[in-house]
Amino acid sequence: MTRTFHGDSYVDNYEWFRDATNPELLAHLEAENAWTQERTEHLEGLREQITAEISSRTRQTDISIAHREGDWWYYQRTWEGRQYPVLYRLPDRDGSRPDVNALGGEKDGPSGEQVVWDGNELAEGSEFFALSDFAPAPDGKLGAMGVDFTGDEHFALRIFDIQTGHVVDDAVSGLGYGLVWTTDGSHVVYSRVDEAWRTWQIWLHEVGTPAEKDRLLYQEDDDRFDVIHTASRDGQWIVVQSVSRTTSEVRLFSAAHPLAAPLVVCHRRDGLEYSVEPAGDHLIIVHNANVPDFEVATAPLVTSTPDEWITRLAPQPGERINEVQAFRDFAVVAMRSAGRTQLRVLPRQPEEAHPETARRGGRFLEPHEREVWGEPVIISSEEMATIALEPAPYWASTDVVYTVESLLTPPTQIAYTVASGESTVLKTLDVPNYDRSAYTQQEVWVEVTDGTQVPMTLAYRSDVTADGTNPGYMYGYGSYEVSNDPYFRPALISLLQRGVVVAWTHVRGGGEMGRAWYDNGKLLHKCNTFTDFVDCAAWLEENAWVAPGRLAAEGGSAGGLLMGAVANIAPERFRAILAGVPFVDALTTILMPDMPLTVGEWEEWGNPIESAEVYQYMKSYSPVENVKHCEYPAILATTSLNDIRVSYVEPTKWVQVLRATTTNDEIERPILEKIEMVAGHAGTSGRYNRWQNRAFELAWLLDQIGAA
C-alpha cells in the first residue's frame, strides 16, 4: 500500500496485517510466537527462578484495607493458589473502621462477612477475565458489574443479588466503563462506545427490563470528546463529563430523577478544562481559566462562568493542582509541589462560627460564597515517594486515606483524621524475603540538550558504586501529562538484587513538573520526550553508573513510542529494549480517523491530515518510518490481539521493518515479538499469569545486559 499526504508518499508493505480475519495473519502471529519461544528457550530456568522470586516476595494470602459504601465496609482478599481476588463486605456497626484482619474470611460466617463476588468463580473456564467496575446499589441489596472475557474492553452488564449471588439481569452488553445507580436502586446508568472505541453515550437501564427499553441520557457528537460518568459522593448527582485533551464540559443529572433536564455547570469553551465535585449545596471546581496549573474554586448549583467562581486555593510557582475530593466536613486536594506529590486537606468550618459571612453589603450570600475553610493541612511524603488518595466513596468520611510508596518502599495506607489531626497507619504491604535496608535510592537532575533540568530517580543495591561496570535499566513514559511517579513492584527487586542500576525517568510530556512540562513534550515539541530520555541514558554512562553496552530500556503504550524513537535516535546507547504494546506506527494511525481513539488524539499529537507541518514532524519521529541501516539494540515487542488502544498491527509491522533494515545478528541481538492471542492492552489477566509474563520479559532483559 502507498500512503500519500501533502505530496509525500510512503510505501507500507505490511498494512495487510490489519485484516484480522486473514488466516495468513494468524499464521504469521503464531509463527512469531514460536520463533520467540525458540530464541528464548535457553532462559526457561531463569524465567522459573524469577517467577519464584516474585512469588516469594508476595504475601499471597492477604487482605486489603476496608472502605465504606453506604452501610457496608468492602475489602478484598487474595488466597494462595488463586488467580483473582474475592470481594467481601461487612455491615457497619458503630461508624468506625473494622479490623478486617481479625476476621476469618468465611462465606457468610459468624462475623457477618459476606462474599460479594469471587473473581475465580467468575473467570472459571475463561482464558481472560476483567471487571470494568463494581457498584453496590444504595440499599446494598444488589450489585452491578461489567465483565470482559476477551480483553477488548467491551463489557457485559451483570446485576446480581449480593446475598444469594443470583443474577437478576444480564440483558445489556457492549458497555464501556462506569456504572452508577439511581437513588432508589431501580436503574443503572452505563456508557457505550462507538466504532472508534470512543465513549460517547450515557444510557439509563431499568433493572429487569430488556435493553431495548433503555433510555439515552446524553450523546457526545464531537469526535474529539470522550464521556466519563461517576456518582457524586453526596449521592445527589450523576456527574457526566465530556473531555478532550484541551477542553471539558460537565453536566449534572439528578440521581433521583435522571430523566430530568441536566444542569450544565459551565458551557464548553476551547481551552477551558474543569472538573466538578458536588458538595451538598454548592460545587467545588478545579479549573484552568485563570492559571495553566489550575486552581480550586467554589460555585453555585446553577449554570455559571469562571468569572462567578470564587477561588479557594491557587497554585504557587512550581505547583500543579490535579483534583479535589469533596466530603461533608472537608475537601482534599491532590497536587504536585516542586515535582513531588502532595495532599492538602481543607477543613470546612461551620457557618455559625463565622456569622459575619451570612450577609455582606446588605444581602444574604449564596452558599458557595459563605463557605469558610480552615487553614490547609499539608500531607507530604519522603523524597522520591509517591502519595496518592485511596478510593473514598462515603460522603460522611471523617478521615483522609492515602497511600505512600516508592521504588523501594512498599505501599503504606495511612488515615489522617481531620478533626483531631492524628494519622494512623492502616496497612503496610508485607513483602517477605525483602530487606529494604539493602537498597538505596536517590534523585538526580540531568541537564539535557536544551539546558532543561530533568529529574530521574535511581535505585540500586547499596553495595553498588558508580564504577563504570554496572548493568542498567531505564523506564520511561512521557505523554498525556501522566506523571511517571515511582511505585513499588516486587518484580523490580529481581533486577536490583542482581546489581542492576534502575533509573526511573521523568521526561517532558508527563506531568511531573506542571502543565508546562507536558506542553513541552507534546504536539510540535514531542521530540523533547525522546531526547530527554537519550540524554538521561548518556548521563548514566558518563557518570559511571552504567557500563557501556549494558543498558536496557522499557516503556509501554505511548512509552513504547518512546522506545521506538530512542532506538532510532541513539541505537548505540542501548543494549536491549522492551517495548510493551508500543505505539510505533504513530503517523499511520493518526492519519486514520476511523481507527479507535484517533480523532481525540489530534490534540495530543497534532492533526497530520490538515497540517503539512504536523505531518512532517510526526514523520520525522514515527518509529516504523525512521529505522536505520545499522546495528540496533536487541528488541522484544509485546502485544495482544484484542488490544483496542494500540493495535497489534503496529508492533507487528515494526518488527518486520527492523529485521529488514537493521544489521543485527539474529543470535546476539534478536528482534522478537510476543503476542497474547486472548488479551487486551493490559496483557493477560490473573496474577500468576502476569508473574510468568513479567518473568519472561525480565529474564530476556537480564540475559541481554549480562546480569542473568
Side-chain angles (χ1 to χ4, degrees):
M1 184 195 84
T2 299
R3 182 197 73 207
T4 301
F5 282 87
H6 306 294
D8 175 77
S9 294
Y10 171 70
V11 177
D12 188 337
N13 294 318
Y14 305 104
E15 184 60 19
W16 68 272
F17 289 159
R18 204 168 297 280
D19 182 6
T21 65
N22 187 339
E24 292 184 23
L25 169 68
L26 295 178
H28 176 86
L29 298 180
E30 295 288 3
E32 287 287 1
N33 278 339
W35 175 242
T36 297
Q37 182 60 37
E38 180 180 332
R39 290 297 306 118
T40 59
E41 197 170 13
H42 65 289
L43 299 174
E44 180 62 31
L46 181 58
R47 292 198 292 261
E48 291 177 356
Q49 183 179 343
I50 294 173
T51 301
E53 290 169 4
I54 297 172
S55 176
S56 73
R57 297 192 186 100
T58 303
R59 182 69 63 191
Q60 296 185 47
T61 298
D62 204 357
I63 189 169
S64 72
I65 63 170
H67 70 270
R68 184 171 176 178
E69 293 193 51
D71 295 328
W72 297 83
W73 292 88
Y74 292 82
Y75 49 96
Q76 287 191 356
R77 292 182 183 274
T78 55
W79 304 90
E80 185 170 0
R82 302 184 195 176
Q83 291 270 23
Y84 300 97
V86 181
L87 182 68
Y88 283 77
R89 70 176 185 179
L90 191 70
D92 179 64
R93 303 192 190 283
D94 57 10
S96 60
R97 186 183 303 276
D99 180 10
V100 294
N101 290 288
L103 304 176
E106 311 95 338
K107 183 174 182 178
D108 303 324
S111 64
E113 281 188 293
Q114 291 183 4
V115 173
V116 180
W117 53 257
D118 184 336
N120 304 284
E121 292 181 1
L122 292 168
E124 190 172 355
S126 299
E127 192 172 338
F128 180 91
F129 168 71
L131 290 181
S132 63
D133 308 89
F134 165 74
D139 63 6
K141 293 180 180 179
L142 299 179
M145 61 170 61
V147 293
D148 172 18
F149 296 104
T150 67
D152 67 358
E153 299 180 64
H154 289 75
F155 299 91
L157 177 62
R158 183 173 296 185
I159 300 173
F160 61 100
D161 184 308
I162 295 177
Q163 182 73 37
T164 66
H166 174 67
V167 175
V168 300
D169 189 338
D170 59 0
V172 187
S173 60
L175 279 67
Y177 288 95
L179 294 171
V180 176
W181 287 89
T182 55
T183 303
D184 63 2
S186 64
H187 293 73
V188 172
V189 179
Y190 65 90
S191 68
R192 286 199 185 277
V193 297
D194 62 14
E195 292 182 356
W197 206 84
R198 177 180 69 92
T199 307
W200 74 310
Q201 292 177 331
I202 303 297
W203 288 81
L204 179 69
H205 174 71
E206 183 176 359
V207 177
T209 65
E212 292 76 18
K213 292 189 175 182
D214 291 358
R215 303 286 294 274
L216 179 65
L217 294 182
Y218 179 67
Q219 178 171 303
E220 177 56 64
D221 292 320
D222 190 329
D223 289 346
R224 298 175 301 162
F225 287 78
D226 284 277
V227 183
I228 302 166
H229 73 293
T230 57
S232 69
R233 198 171 280 103
D234 65 4
Q236 298 183 45
W237 305 99
I238 301 163
V239 182
V240 176
Q241 184 173 15
S242 293
V243 293
S244 77
R245 299 290 176 194
T246 61
T247 305
S248 55
E249 182 179 60
V250 177
R251 287 170 172 78
L252 301 180
F253 289 79
S254 168
H257 306 286
L259 292 173
L263 165 66
V264 180
V265 175
C266 177
H267 292 285
R268 72 183 64 175
R269 58 177 75 172
D270 285 345
L272 174 62
E273 298 174 68
Y274 72 96
S275 59
V276 173
E277 276 279 300
D281 57 7
H282 66 285
L283 305 173
I284 304 180
I285 298 176
V286 173
H287 69 94
N288 69 341
N290 302 318
V291 291
D293 284 311
F294 294 76
E295 61 187 55
V296 179
T298 54
L301 270 166
V302 296
T303 299
S304 58
T305 67
D307 294 338
E308 301 170 80
W309 302 345
I310 296 176
T311 300
R312 301 297 182 179
L313 179 64
Q316 299 300 307
E319 295 181 344
R320 165 67 158 95
I321 292 173
N322 291 322
E323 68 164 319
V324 64
Q325 293 187 3
F327 298 86
R328 184 189 62 190
D329 300 324
F330 60 90
V332 57
V333 180
M335 58 186 295
R336 307 188 74 86
S337 181
R340 295 195 175 96
T341 49
Q342 185 183 98
L343 303 178
R344 293 193 187 177
V345 182
L346 302 173
R348 278 174 157 170
Q349 298 189 349
E351 208 173 288
E352 56 269 22
H354 300 271
E356 72 280 1
T357 66
R359 293 175 61 90
R360 185 180 304 143
R363 72 181 180 92
F364 285 97
L365 301 184
E366 294 295 326
H368 80 287
E369 297 176 292
R370 295 199 302 266
E371 190 74 19
V372 176
W373 303 91
E375 282 297 310
V377 176
I378 298 175
I379 299 176
S380 55
S381 60
E382 63 178 277
E383 292 186 4
M384 296 165 285
T386 300
I387 184 169
L389 287 168
E390 284 287 310
Y394 186 56
W395 170 242
S397 293
T398 58
D399 50 29
V400 177
V401 181
Y402 61 95
T403 297
V404 178
E405 63 182 314
S406 74
L407 292 180
L408 299 180
T409 305
T412 295
Q413 278 97 32
I414 300 170
Y416 171 78
T417 303
V418 177
S420 67
E422 296 179 352
S423 295
T424 304
V425 174
L426 301 177
K427 178 182 176 66
T428 297
L429 181 69
D430 182 20
V431 184
N433 304 307
Y434 172 59
D435 179 5
R436 168 65 179 82
S437 66
Y439 304 97
T440 300
Q441 61 184 358
Q442 64 170 300
E443 184 177 71
V444 299
W445 292 82
V446 178
E447 182 172 334
V448 299
T449 304
D450 64 2
T452 300
Q453 296 287 325
V454 174
M456 182 165 61
T457 305
L458 301 185
Y460 45 89
R461 206 176 59 214
S462 296
D463 61 344
V464 169
T465 59
D467 62 3
T469 66
N470 305 313
Y473 164 84
M474 295 177 69
Y475 184 83
Y477 189 73
S479 290
Y480 303 113
E481 204 175 3
V482 173
S483 298
N484 189 35
D485 290 317
Y487 58 91
F488 182 85
R489 291 294 180 270
L492 196 65
I493 309 305
S494 292
L495 296 178
L496 294 169
Q497 71 173 7
R498 289 171 170 82
V500 177
V501 174
V502 171
W504 212 257
T505 64
H506 312 291
V507 295
R508 282 175 286 183
E512 288 89 339
M513 305 294 289
R515 177 49 67 91
W517 199 251
Y518 170 49
D519 288 340
N520 282 308
K522 65 182 288 194
L523 297 172
L524 297 177
H525 302 288
K526 186 62 208 171
C527 288
N528 286 334
T529 304
F530 314 140
T531 55
D532 284 358
F533 194 86
V534 170
D535 289 342
C536 286
W539 185 95
L540 290 170
E541 187 175 320
E542 291 163 2
N543 287 270
W545 279 108
V546 175
R550 299 194 72 189
L551 179 62
E554 181 181 5
S557 197
L561 165 64
L562 172 62
M563 294 299 100
V566 302
N568 291 334
I569 293 169
E572 72 285 351
R573 285 286 178 200
F574 306 97
R575 181 61 180 79
I577 284 179
L578 173 59
V581 290
F583 182 45
V584 284
D585 195 16
L587 180 53
T588 298
T589 296
I590 297 300
L591 284 167
M592 302 173 71
D594 293 334
M595 286 287 290
L597 308 176
T598 290
V599 174
E601 296 286 290
W602 287 342
E603 291 180 344
E604 176 78 17
W605 312 98
N607 184 345
I609 298 174
E610 299 292 335
S611 170
E613 182 182 20
V614 170
Y615 178 91
Q616 289 299 333
Y617 189 74
M618 290 194 72
K619 186 177 176 66
S620 75
Y621 69 72
S622 188
V624 165
E625 298 180 39
N626 290 279
V627 177
K628 300 175 182 177
H629 183 68
C630 66
E631 186 176 61
Y632 265 52
I635 288 175
L636 173 60
T638 63
T639 188
S640 298
L641 185 61
N642 297 329
D643 189 344
I644 49 82
R645 297 175 184 268
V646 179
S647 171
Y648 69 89
V649 175
E650 299 204 24
T652 307
K653 282 186 181 182
W654 184 46
V655 165
Q656 309 313 307
V657 174
L658 285 165
R659 289 189 187 136
T661 310
T662 67
T663 62
N664 286 29
D665 181 291
E666 66 179 28
I667 303 300
E668 294 298 319
R669 295 189 177 222
I671 295 168
L672 304 174
E673 183 179 19
K674 185 173 184 288
I675 307 106
E676 297 298 334
M677 303 304 285
V678 184
H681 194 63
T684 55
S685 65
R687 58 176 176 168
Y688 294 109
N689 294 338
R690 290 180 185 267
W691 294 354
Q692 291 170 354
N693 280 344
R694 191 57 180 157
F696 182 96
E697 295 165 352
L698 293 184
W700 182 82
L701 281 181
L702 289 167
D703 182 55
Q704 289 295 324
I705 59 177

